[in-house]
Amino acid sequence: MTIRQDTVRTVSPRKVLRAGRRVALPVRRVSVLTALVLLTLLAAGAVATLSLGRLGIALADLPGALAGGAEGKDAFVLDRLRGPRLTVAVGTGAALGLSGALFQSVTRNPLGSPDVIGLASGAGAGAAIAALLFPGTVPVAMGALFGAAAAMVLVYVSTGTGFRNPARLVIAGIGVAAIGTAITQYVVYAMERDRAAVLTAYVNGSLSARSWTDATTIWLVLFAVAPPAALLSRRLDIGEMGDDIADALGARPRSTKTVAVVLAIVLSAGAVSVAGPIAFVALTAPQIARRLTRLAGPHLALSALTGALLLVLADLCAQQLTFFDNLPVGVYTMAVGGVYLGRLLIREWRRGVL
């Protein structure tokens, strides 16, 4: 099933930000304003995460705590409880948003995301196997990372063309996702109840008990992927005009698609390794960014900011909504994603696309 992208304005005054001869990023006024709004909302969400609740740091004390003057309870909250969790949420959300933008640009499909090609299901299966067969020996996060990598290898081999053909990629990914889900459900069914409960929280995506090591991991992945993604941005922009035009303009669409998918997989695998397979952020963040600007293009930076904001707000709900105590953050992102998918399908049905 393919659903077309919304009609967007393609003519808009823009400047080009250059870094050497190879990097040329189009900069539009509406994109800059949107980025500033997203950054403001992200800062507000971060402040709320650190200050709300019984253990929150008082707003009057927060600037001093952030400057290194935290003591006692405030130091514990900032250094051990909420600081690492917030940092992981921002980095993971940004990685997922950027991953989704790369993947949707390649597939030209608003339903395209690394979730669709089985990465999350493979991660869940790997986590389940690590917890069942190697308890206390292989960390669940490491099992998830190996599971995600195995799923991507299987998808790569199954397509017969690697990552170059988006249609085959999605079809193979759906099959791999079904296999991964079946393995996970079997392990959850077969394990003892207490261990299964821990695993269930992980495979739904969780930010509980994150550490500065997790934060370092996801930010290193982001810093490693951001430069090649920036180099690829212009080619992706041209590629949205079609493969023939992109090839004529020297954008090399086949190699561009392969590199974009690889970068998307690296970002998603990094996110999975620190937070589990959090669903729907990669799917919804690029579409929200596109609708905020109403402009064509991959919107890589805006998608990263939107993903960070979505995950921070979802985690804020997970921490502060007392009537849904201890729900994994992935449950909230699945709720948002379900609403988004329902709205998208209803709109396209009314247009006669489906």
Side-chain angles (χ1 to χ4, degrees):
M1 177 177 64
T2 300
I3 297 179
R4 68 187 181 190
Q5 296 277 13
D6 281 352
T7 301
V8 295
R9 295 196 304 265
T10 58
V11 179
S12 175
R14 62 181 180 178
K15 297 181 179 180
V16 176
L17 178 64
R18 295 186 179 275
R21 294 188 302 174
R22 299 190 62 185
V23 181
L25 302 177
V27 178
R28 300 178 177 92
R29 181 180 178 183
V30 65
S31 298
V32 174
L33 293 176
T34 302
L36 291 175
V37 171
L38 290 172
L39 283 171
T40 301
L41 292 175
L42 182 59
V47 169
T49 297
L50 295 175
S51 61
L52 292 180
R54 182 172 56 88
L55 294 176
I57 302 172
L59 284 176
D61 299 331
L62 187 57
L66 293 174
E71 297 179 354
K73 176 184 77 69
D74 290 352
F76 174 75
V77 170
L78 188 60
D79 296 335
R80 299 287 298 276
L81 189 61
R82 296 188 184 179
R85 181 169 181 160
L86 174 62
T87 308
V88 171
V90 173
T92 302
L96 291 173
L98 180 55
S99 175
L102 289 167
F103 199 84
Q104 289 180 16
S105 180
V106 167
T107 60
R108 303 188 195 118
N109 190 331
L111 292 182
S113 82
D115 301 335
V116 175
I117 63 171
L119 188 144
S121 298
I129 292 172
L132 176 64
L133 300 180
F134 308 101
T137 303
V138 178
V140 175
M142 185 63 67
L145 191 58
F146 281 125
M152 292 305 95
V153 170
L154 187 56
V155 169
Y156 184 92
V157 173
S158 300
T159 62
T161 56
F163 297 136
R164 293 192 298 272
N165 190 310
R168 291 187 181 185
L169 186 66
V170 171
I171 292 171
I174 291 172
V176 172
I179 295 172
T181 301
I183 293 173
T184 303
Q185 293 302 321
Y186 170 76
V187 171
V188 170
Y189 175 79
M191 289 172 62
E192 295 92 344
R193 182 173 300 177
D194 56 339
R195 293 167 62 196
V198 174
L199 177 61
T200 301
Y202 184 85
V203 299
N204 283 319
S206 176
L207 292 172
S208 299
R210 299 303 96 181
S211 67
W212 288 115
T213 300
D214 298 318
T216 301
T217 299
I218 189 60
W219 281 98
L220 284 176
V221 171
L222 271 175
F223 287 140
V225 172
L231 289 172
L232 212 62
S233 178
R234 183 61 176 166
R235 289 189 190 180
L236 292 172
D237 203 3
I238 296 173
E240 296 205 350
M241 293 185 271
D243 287 353
D244 292 338
I245 295 177
D247 195 39
L249 294 175
R252 292 182 289 181
R254 293 183 65 183
S255 62
T256 297
K257 289 178 181 179
T258 299
V259 174
V261 170
V262 170
L263 293 178
I265 289 171
V266 170
L267 287 164
S268 295
V272 162
S273 70
V274 300
I278 296 176
F280 285 116
V281 174
L283 178 70
T284 56
Q287 291 302 307
I288 293 174
R290 179 180 287 265
R291 283 162 175 76
L292 287 174
T293 61
R294 304 299 297 175
L295 295 172
H299 301 295
L300 300 184
L302 291 181
S303 297
L305 287 174
T306 303
L309 178 61
L310 286 176
L311 194 53
V312 167
L313 294 179
D315 189 48
L316 184 62
C317 292
Q319 294 183 66
Q320 300 300 330
L321 294 183
T322 55
F323 46 91
F324 291 133
D325 192 26
N326 293 325
L327 278 182
V329 68
V331 174
Y332 291 92
T333 62
M334 281 190 282
V336 172
V339 171
Y340 163 76
L341 281 177
R343 179 177 175 274
L344 179 65
L345 292 171
I346 290 172
R347 187 182 69 245
E348 298 300 325
W349 174 73
R350 288 175 176 174
R351 289 180 175 180
V353 177
L354 296 178

mmCIF file of all heavy atoms in Angstrom, residues 106 108 156 160-166 168-169 232 235-236 238-239 242-248 250-262:
data_model
loop_
_atom_site.group_PDB
_atom_site.id
_atom_site.type_symbol
_atom_site.label_atom_id
_atom_site.label_comp_id
_atom_site.label_asym_id
_atom_site.label_seq_id
_atom_site.Cartn_x
_atom_site.Cartn_y
_atom_site.Cartn_z
ATOM 1 N N VAL A 106 13.586 8.407 0.950
ATOM 2 C CA VAL A 106 13.981 7.365 0.002
ATOM 3 C C VAL A 106 12.763 6.661 -0.586
ATOM 4 O O VAL A 106 12.670 6.425 -1.794
ATOM 5 C CB VAL A 106 14.903 6.342 0.692
ATOM 6 C CG1 VAL A 106 15.075 5.099 -0.165
ATOM 7 C CG2 VAL A 106 16.261 6.972 0.978
ATOM 8 N N ARG A 108 9.604 7.755 -0.483
ATOM 9 C CA ARG A 108 8.566 8.706 -0.906
ATOM 10 C C ARG A 108 7.190 8.239 -0.452
ATOM 11 O O ARG A 108 6.219 8.269 -1.211
ATOM 12 C CB ARG A 108 8.591 8.910 -2.428
ATOM 13 C CG ARG A 108 9.920 9.391 -2.955
ATOM 14 C CD ARG A 108 9.852 9.759 -4.423
ATOM 15 N NE ARG A 108 11.210 9.874 -4.956
ATOM 16 C CZ ARG A 108 11.695 9.110 -5.938
ATOM 17 N NH1 ARG A 108 10.936 8.209 -6.498
ATOM 18 N NH2 ARG A 108 12.927 9.279 -6.357
ATOM 19 N N TYR A 156 18.288 -7.319 3.854
ATOM 20 C CA TYR A 156 19.232 -7.017 2.765
ATOM 21 C C TYR A 156 19.357 -8.195 1.806
ATOM 22 O O TYR A 156 19.328 -8.034 0.581
ATOM 23 C CB TYR A 156 20.593 -6.669 3.360
ATOM 24 C CG TYR A 156 21.633 -6.240 2.352
ATOM 25 C CD1 TYR A 156 21.795 -4.897 2.030
ATOM 26 C CD2 TYR A 156 22.452 -7.179 1.729
ATOM 27 C CE1 TYR A 156 22.746 -4.497 1.106
ATOM 28 C CE2 TYR A 156 23.410 -6.792 0.800
ATOM 29 C CZ TYR A 156 23.555 -5.445 0.501
ATOM 30 O OH TYR A 156 24.497 -5.048 -0.420
ATOM 31 N N GLY A 160 17.263 -9.141 -2.668
ATOM 32 C CA GLY A 160 17.997 -9.444 -3.883
ATOM 33 C C GLY A 160 18.676 -8.241 -4.504
ATOM 34 O O GLY A 160 19.499 -8.376 -5.408
ATOM 35 N N THR A 161 18.341 -7.054 -4.027
ATOM 36 C CA THR A 161 18.958 -5.818 -4.537
ATOM 37 C C THR A 161 19.506 -4.962 -3.407
ATOM 38 O O THR A 161 19.727 -3.761 -3.587
ATOM 39 C CB THR A 161 17.931 -4.985 -5.342
ATOM 40 O OG1 THR A 161 16.790 -4.709 -4.519
ATOM 41 C CG2 THR A 161 17.483 -5.726 -6.589
ATOM 42 N N GLY A 162 19.691 -5.560 -2.230
ATOM 43 C CA GLY A 162 20.181 -4.772 -1.098
ATOM 44 C C GLY A 162 19.136 -3.785 -0.640
ATOM 45 O O GLY A 162 17.951 -4.110 -0.514
ATOM 46 N N PHE A 163 19.562 -2.542 -0.416
ATOM 47 C CA PHE A 163 18.658 -1.501 0.055
ATOM 48 C C PHE A 163 18.252 -0.534 -1.059
ATOM 49 O O PHE A 163 17.719 0.536 -0.788
ATOM 50 C CB PHE A 163 19.321 -0.699 1.189
ATOM 51 C CG PHE A 163 19.616 -1.516 2.415
ATOM 52 C CD1 PHE A 163 20.832 -1.394 3.069
ATOM 53 C CD2 PHE A 163 18.689 -2.413 2.918
ATOM 54 C CE1 PHE A 163 21.118 -2.141 4.204
ATOM 55 C CE2 PHE A 163 18.959 -3.174 4.042
ATOM 56 C CZ PHE A 163 20.174 -3.033 4.694
ATOM 57 N N ARG A 164 18.504 -0.896 -2.305
ATOM 58 C CA ARG A 164 18.290 0.051 -3.397
ATOM 59 C C ARG A 164 16.833 0.157 -3.838
ATOM 60 O O ARG A 164 16.424 1.168 -4.370
ATOM 61 C CB ARG A 164 19.163 -0.327 -4.602
ATOM 62 C CG ARG A 164 20.655 -0.183 -4.366
ATOM 63 C CD ARG A 164 21.417 -0.280 -5.667
ATOM 64 N NE ARG A 164 21.234 -1.568 -6.296
ATOM 65 C CZ ARG A 164 21.993 -2.635 -6.057
ATOM 66 N NH1 ARG A 164 22.974 -2.551 -5.176
ATOM 67 N NH2 ARG A 164 21.787 -3.784 -6.679
ATOM 68 N N ASN A 165 16.062 -0.922 -3.658
ATOM 69 C CA ASN A 165 14.683 -0.947 -4.142
ATOM 70 C C ASN A 165 13.718 -0.747 -2.977
ATOM 71 O O ASN A 165 13.510 -1.669 -2.185
ATOM 72 C CB ASN A 165 14.402 -2.277 -4.846
ATOM 73 C CG ASN A 165 13.074 -2.273 -5.577
ATOM 74 O OD1 ASN A 165 12.055 -1.905 -5.017
ATOM 75 N ND2 ASN A 165 13.096 -2.689 -6.835
ATOM 76 N N PRO A 166 13.097 0.440 -2.833
ATOM 77 C CA PRO A 166 12.230 0.701 -1.680
ATOM 78 C C PRO A 166 11.048 -0.256 -1.577
ATOM 79 O O PRO A 166 10.669 -0.663 -0.479
ATOM 80 C CB PRO A 166 11.756 2.138 -1.925
ATOM 81 C CG PRO A 166 12.789 2.751 -2.805
ATOM 82 C CD PRO A 166 13.268 1.636 -3.672
ATOM 83 N N ARG A 168 10.740 -3.474 -2.641
ATOM 84 C CA ARG A 168 11.200 -4.767 -2.128
ATOM 85 C C ARG A 168 11.641 -4.662 -0.674
ATOM 86 O O ARG A 168 11.449 -5.595 0.112
ATOM 87 C CB ARG A 168 12.366 -5.278 -2.983
ATOM 88 C CG ARG A 168 11.988 -5.692 -4.392
ATOM 89 C CD ARG A 168 13.172 -6.337 -5.078
ATOM 90 N NE ARG A 168 12.869 -6.727 -6.455
ATOM 91 C CZ ARG A 168 13.701 -7.389 -7.236
ATOM 92 N NH1 ARG A 168 14.899 -7.740 -6.783
ATOM 93 N NH2 ARG A 168 13.358 -7.691 -8.476
ATOM 94 N N LEU A 169 12.218 -3.545 -0.315
ATOM 95 C CA LEU A 169 12.681 -3.328 1.052
ATOM 96 C C LEU A 169 11.524 -3.412 2.036
ATOM 97 O O LEU A 169 11.605 -4.069 3.075
ATOM 98 C CB LEU A 169 13.361 -1.960 1.132
ATOM 99 C CG LEU A 169 14.051 -1.580 2.440
ATOM 100 C CD1 LEU A 169 15.239 -2.484 2.696
ATOM 101 C CD2 LEU A 169 14.502 -0.128 2.378
ATOM 102 N N LEU A 232 24.270 14.347 2.428
ATOM 103 C CA LEU A 232 23.271 13.683 1.602
ATOM 104 C C LEU A 232 22.010 14.527 1.395
ATOM 105 O O LEU A 232 21.209 14.227 0.506
ATOM 106 C CB LEU A 232 22.877 12.358 2.275
ATOM 107 C CG LEU A 232 22.472 11.183 1.402
ATOM 108 C CD1 LEU A 232 23.627 10.771 0.502
ATOM 109 C CD2 LEU A 232 22.039 10.018 2.290
ATOM 110 N N ARG A 235 21.186 15.869 -2.145
ATOM 111 C CA ARG A 235 20.819 14.796 -3.068
ATOM 112 C C ARG A 235 19.404 14.292 -2.808
ATOM 113 O O ARG A 235 18.643 13.994 -3.741
ATOM 114 C CB ARG A 235 21.797 13.631 -2.941
ATOM 115 C CG ARG A 235 23.187 13.897 -3.481
ATOM 116 C CD ARG A 235 23.950 12.588 -3.486
ATOM 117 N NE ARG A 235 25.358 12.769 -3.764
ATOM 118 C CZ ARG A 235 26.232 11.773 -3.822
ATOM 119 N NH1 ARG A 235 25.822 10.531 -3.593
ATOM 120 N NH2 ARG A 235 27.497 11.999 -4.080
ATOM 121 N N LEU A 236 19.038 14.174 -1.531
ATOM 122 C CA LEU A 236 17.691 13.739 -1.193
ATOM 123 C C LEU A 236 16.655 14.744 -1.670
ATOM 124 O O LEU A 236 15.572 14.379 -2.142
ATOM 125 C CB LEU A 236 17.567 13.525 0.315
ATOM 126 C CG LEU A 236 18.364 12.361 0.904
ATOM 127 C CD1 LEU A 236 18.298 12.385 2.418
ATOM 128 C CD2 LEU A 236 17.840 11.028 0.374
ATOM 129 N N ILE A 238 16.916 16.756 -4.252
ATOM 130 C CA ILE A 238 16.798 16.585 -5.707
ATOM 131 C C ILE A 238 16.068 15.285 -6.032
ATOM 132 O O ILE A 238 15.254 15.220 -6.961
ATOM 133 C CB ILE A 238 18.191 16.591 -6.365
ATOM 134 C CG1 ILE A 238 18.858 17.960 -6.171
ATOM 135 C CG2 ILE A 238 18.099 16.262 -7.852
ATOM 136 C CD1 ILE A 238 20.300 18.011 -6.642
ATOM 137 N N GLY A 239 16.318 14.243 -5.252
ATOM 138 C CA GLY A 239 15.716 12.941 -5.509
ATOM 139 C C GLY A 239 14.211 12.930 -5.426
ATOM 140 O O GLY A 239 13.558 12.068 -6.025
ATOM 141 N N GLY A 242 12.173 12.769 -8.619
ATOM 142 C CA GLY A 242 12.142 11.556 -9.422
ATOM 143 C C GLY A 242 13.541 11.085 -9.766
ATOM 144 O O GLY A 242 14.478 11.887 -9.873
ATOM 145 N N ASP A 243 13.686 9.774 -9.959
ATOM 146 C CA ASP A 243 15.009 9.198 -10.209
ATOM 147 C C ASP A 243 15.627 9.683 -11.503
ATOM 148 O O ASP A 243 16.842 9.914 -11.581
ATOM 149 C CB ASP A 243 14.910 7.667 -10.223
ATOM 150 C CG ASP A 243 14.701 7.091 -8.832
ATOM 151 O OD1 ASP A 243 14.764 7.863 -7.851
ATOM 152 O OD2 ASP A 243 14.480 5.874 -8.729
ATOM 153 N N ASP A 244 14.815 9.822 -12.544
ATOM 154 C CA ASP A 244 15.361 10.240 -13.841
ATOM 155 C C ASP A 244 15.959 11.641 -13.764
ATOM 156 O O ASP A 244 17.074 11.890 -14.254
ATOM 157 C CB ASP A 244 14.277 10.193 -14.919
ATOM 158 C CG ASP A 244 13.835 8.768 -15.226
ATOM 159 O OD1 ASP A 244 14.629 7.844 -14.933
ATOM 160 O OD2 ASP A 244 12.717 8.587 -15.736
ATOM 161 N N ILE A 245 15.216 12.568 -13.147
ATOM 162 C CA ILE A 245 15.714 13.939 -13.025
ATOM 163 C C ILE A 245 16.927 13.977 -12.104
ATOM 164 O O ILE A 245 17.927 14.651 -12.383
ATOM 165 C CB ILE A 245 14.605 14.876 -12.501
ATOM 166 C CG1 ILE A 245 13.468 14.961 -13.523
ATOM 167 C CG2 ILE A 245 15.158 16.263 -12.194
ATOM 168 C CD1 ILE A 245 12.296 15.789 -13.068
ATOM 169 N N ALA A 246 16.860 13.229 -11.002
ATOM 170 C CA ALA A 246 17.981 13.203 -10.060
ATOM 171 C C ALA A 246 19.233 12.658 -10.729
ATOM 172 O O ALA A 246 20.339 13.176 -10.527
ATOM 173 C CB ALA A 246 17.615 12.364 -8.845
ATOM 174 N N ASP A 247 19.083 11.617 -11.532
ATOM 175 C CA ASP A 247 20.227 11.046 -12.232
ATOM 176 C C ASP A 247 20.805 12.035 -13.237
ATOM 177 O O ASP A 247 22.028 12.169 -13.369
ATOM 178 C CB ASP A 247 19.799 9.762 -12.936
ATOM 179 C CG ASP A 247 20.987 8.922 -13.369
ATOM 180 O OD1 ASP A 247 21.960 8.843 -12.606
ATOM 181 O OD2 ASP A 247 20.945 8.359 -14.475
ATOM 182 N N ALA A 248 19.925 12.764 -13.924
ATOM 183 C CA ALA A 248 20.381 13.751 -14.900
ATOM 184 C C ALA A 248 21.125 14.900 -14.228
ATOM 185 O O ALA A 248 22.037 15.493 -14.820
ATOM 186 C CB ALA A 248 19.193 14.286 -15.694
ATOM 187 N N GLY A 250 22.975 14.584 -11.594
ATOM 188 C CA GLY A 250 24.171 14.079 -10.925
ATOM 189 C C GLY A 250 23.974 13.704 -9.472
ATOM 190 O O GLY A 250 24.952 13.604 -8.721
ATOM 191 N N ALA A 251 22.712 13.468 -9.037
ATOM 192 C CA ALA A 251 22.448 13.141 -7.631
ATOM 193 C C ALA A 251 22.634 11.663 -7.323
ATOM 194 O O ALA A 251 22.528 11.263 -6.166
ATOM 195 C CB ALA A 251 21.032 13.564 -7.245
ATOM 196 N N ARG A 252 22.868 10.842 -8.350
ATOM 197 C CA ARG A 252 23.124 9.407 -8.177
ATOM 198 C C ARG A 252 22.100 8.758 -7.242
ATOM 199 O O ARG A 252 22.409 8.345 -6.120
ATOM 200 C CB ARG A 252 24.531 9.180 -7.664
ATOM 201 C CG ARG A 252 25.596 9.538 -8.679
ATOM 202 C CD ARG A 252 26.988 9.264 -8.161
ATOM 203 N NE ARG A 252 27.366 10.206 -7.135
ATOM 204 C CZ ARG A 252 28.560 10.211 -6.514
ATOM 205 N NH1 ARG A 252 29.464 9.307 -6.846
ATOM 206 N NH2 ARG A 252 28.834 11.098 -5.594
ATOM 207 N N PRO A 253 20.838 8.646 -7.681
ATOM 208 C CA PRO A 253 19.759 8.211 -6.782
ATOM 209 C C PRO A 253 19.949 6.821 -6.195
ATOM 210 O O PRO A 253 19.589 6.589 -5.041
ATOM 211 C CB PRO A 253 18.516 8.279 -7.690
ATOM 212 C CG PRO A 253 19.030 8.256 -9.087
ATOM 213 C CD PRO A 253 20.356 8.945 -9.042
ATOM 214 N N ARG A 254 20.517 5.882 -6.952
ATOM 215 C CA ARG A 254 20.649 4.517 -6.429
ATOM 216 C C ARG A 254 21.597 4.462 -5.238
ATOM 217 O O ARG A 254 21.274 3.906 -4.177
ATOM 218 C CB ARG A 254 21.119 3.572 -7.533
ATOM 219 C CG ARG A 254 20.108 3.366 -8.644
ATOM 220 C CD ARG A 254 20.587 2.372 -9.669
ATOM 221 N NE ARG A 254 20.719 1.032 -9.109
ATOM 222 C CZ ARG A 254 21.176 -0.010 -9.789
ATOM 223 N NH1 ARG A 254 21.568 0.141 -11.044
ATOM 224 N NH2 ARG A 254 21.260 -1.189 -9.220
ATOM 225 N N SER A 255 22.771 5.050 -5.371
ATOM 226 C CA SER A 255 23.718 5.044 -4.256
ATOM 227 C C SER A 255 23.215 5.923 -3.114
ATOM 228 O O SER A 255 23.430 5.610 -1.934
ATOM 229 C CB SER A 255 25.092 5.521 -4.722
ATOM 230 O OG SER A 255 25.036 6.853 -5.205
ATOM 231 N N THR A 256 22.513 7.011 -3.451
ATOM 232 C CA THR A 256 21.964 7.887 -2.415
ATOM 233 C C THR A 256 20.954 7.135 -1.557
ATOM 234 O O THR A 256 20.950 7.255 -0.326
ATOM 235 C CB THR A 256 21.301 9.124 -3.053
ATOM 236 O OG1 THR A 256 22.294 9.883 -3.742
ATOM 237 C CG2 THR A 256 20.643 9.996 -1.999
ATOM 238 N N LYS A 257 20.089 6.351 -2.184
ATOM 239 C CA LYS A 257 19.096 5.578 -1.432
ATOM 240 C C LYS A 257 19.761 4.568 -0.510
ATOM 241 O O LYS A 257 19.367 4.415 0.649
ATOM 242 C CB LYS A 257 18.154 4.862 -2.407
ATOM 243 C CG LYS A 257 17.203 5.784 -3.143
ATOM 244 C CD LYS A 257 16.350 5.003 -4.129
ATOM 245 C CE LYS A 257 15.414 5.927 -4.885
ATOM 246 N NZ LYS A 257 14.580 5.193 -5.867
ATOM 247 N N THR A 258 20.773 3.895 -1.016
ATOM 248 C CA THR A 258 21.461 2.897 -0.193
ATOM 249 C C THR A 258 22.109 3.538 1.026
ATOM 250 O O THR A 258 21.957 3.052 2.155
ATOM 251 C CB THR A 258 22.528 2.165 -1.032
ATOM 252 O OG1 THR A 258 21.894 1.481 -2.119
ATOM 253 C CG2 THR A 258 23.284 1.151 -0.176
ATOM 254 N N VAL A 259 22.814 4.636 0.808
ATOM 255 C CA VAL A 259 23.485 5.312 1.925
ATOM 256 C C VAL A 259 22.453 5.842 2.923
ATOM 257 O O VAL A 259 22.644 5.731 4.147
ATOM 258 C CB VAL A 259 24.375 6.456 1.407
ATOM 259 C CG1 VAL A 259 24.954 7.257 2.572
ATOM 260 C CG2 VAL A 259 25.505 5.908 0.542
ATOM 261 N N ALA A 260 21.357 6.415 2.420
ATOM 262 C CA ALA A 260 20.322 6.956 3.309
ATOM 263 C C ALA A 260 19.713 5.859 4.172
ATOM 264 O O ALA A 260 19.488 6.055 5.382
ATOM 265 C CB ALA A 260 19.233 7.657 2.487
ATOM 266 N N VAL A 261 19.433 4.697 3.590
ATOM 267 C CA VAL A 261 18.855 3.599 4.358
ATOM 268 C C VAL A 261 19.853 3.095 5.401
ATOM 269 O O VAL A 261 19.477 2.812 6.551
ATOM 270 C CB VAL A 261 18.419 2.457 3.416
ATOM 271 C CG1 VAL A 261 18.036 1.216 4.223
ATOM 272 C CG2 VAL A 261 17.245 2.890 2.564
ATOM 273 N N VAL A 262 21.123 2.997 5.036
ATOM 274 C CA VAL A 262 22.146 2.556 5.997
ATOM 275 C C VAL A 262 22.237 3.531 7.173
ATOM 276 O O VAL A 262 22.286 3.119 8.344
ATOM 277 C CB VAL A 262 23.511 2.404 5.301
ATOM 278 C CG1 VAL A 262 24.616 2.184 6.328
ATOM 279 C CG2 VAL A 262 23.486 1.239 4.317
#
